[in-house]
Amino acid sequence: MLQLLFPSPLLSLLLMALWLVMTQSYTLGNALLALALGLLIPVFSANLRPRSKRMRHPLTVLRLCLNVMVDAWHSNWLVIRILLQPSLTRQDTSIFIRIPLEMRNPNGLAVLAAIVTITPGNAWAELSMDRSTLLLHVFDGRIDEQTVIQTVKQRYERPLMEIFE
């Protein structure tokens, strides 16, 4: 019964805090409105969220986070170099790459979407209906397609599968 009333207590607290910070009003009425939103939004949106699952392999999570930080830093420098070299920006170098996926877990796919979008120069463009193929936009199209595919599969998808599946 308590799970039905409070399906996600942490989300409720975060929504309440976010509402108060965004409105910058800490009156009793606004606090009650924040409480109502914090309690009702998780209840009504529970079916829209993927089912929570316990995260396993904390060392894999740490390794994945470090990989993402290093790759984002490296990608930042590559994008800056491309933008600052006029000879490279005159030509359209961006491409779309289809990446076959083995992972089907919605939580893992959501994290993968965040990871590839966080990396500057890349954008998650499309996921096939059967979740078997990712269409990824890559800003620096001079890079080898197989390198991009192997990077996504080995550095991101494999650890995410270990964590979520």
Side-chain angles (χ1 to χ4, degrees):
M1 179 67 172
L2 192 59
Q3 182 66 27
L4 288 173
L5 294 174
F6 304 105
S8 183
L10 182 59
L11 179 60
S12 293
L13 290 173
L14 290 173
L15 286 170
M16 290 172 10
L18 181 65
W19 179 262
L20 291 172
V21 169
M22 283 180 18
T23 60
Q24 296 181 0
S25 173
Y26 305 102
T27 63
L28 178 62
N30 206 32
L32 290 174
L33 180 59
L35 179 66
L37 291 172
L39 294 176
L40 293 176
I41 289 174
V43 169
F44 289 118
S45 66
N47 290 335
L48 301 175
R49 292 189 308 273
R51 297 289 172 225
S52 61
K53 188 173 183 179
R54 203 180 116 237
M55 199 177 325
R56 302 178 311 216
H57 308 285
L59 291 177
T60 303
V61 173
L62 181 61
R63 189 178 73 238
L64 176 64
C65 289
L66 291 173
N67 283 342
V68 171
M69 286 190 306
V70 167
D71 291 348
W73 182 83
H74 183 255
S75 185
N76 270 312
W77 284 109
L78 288 176
V79 170
I80 288 170
R81 193 185 97 227
I82 289 170
L83 293 175
L84 292 179
Q85 290 181 349
S87 62
L88 295 178
T89 56
R90 281 190 203 125
Q91 56 194 7
D92 185 18
T93 60
S94 63
I95 60 170
F96 286 91
I97 299 174
R98 292 200 180 280
I99 301 172
L101 296 175
E102 298 169 40
M103 180 170 46
R104 299 293 187 270
N105 181 282
N107 293 327
L109 290 170
V111 174
L112 181 62
I115 288 171
V116 298
T117 303
I118 282 173
T119 309
N122 296 335
W124 178 289
E126 179 182 79
L127 180 64
S128 64
M129 291 298 284
D130 64 354
R131 297 181 180 169
S132 66
T133 307
L134 156 67
L135 183 62
L136 183 68
H137 176 267
V138 179
F139 183 64
D140 186 6
R142 296 169 297 140
I143 193 167
D144 179 46
E145 286 188 32
Q146 281 306 114
T147 302
V148 174
I149 292 170
Q150 289 305 316
T151 298
V152 170
K153 292 193 73 56
Q154 290 176 359
R155 291 180 66 88
Y156 308 139
E157 184 186 28
R158 185 174 295 150
L160 287 170
M161 287 175 68
E162 189 176 323
I163 294 166
F164 288 105
E165 294 184 347

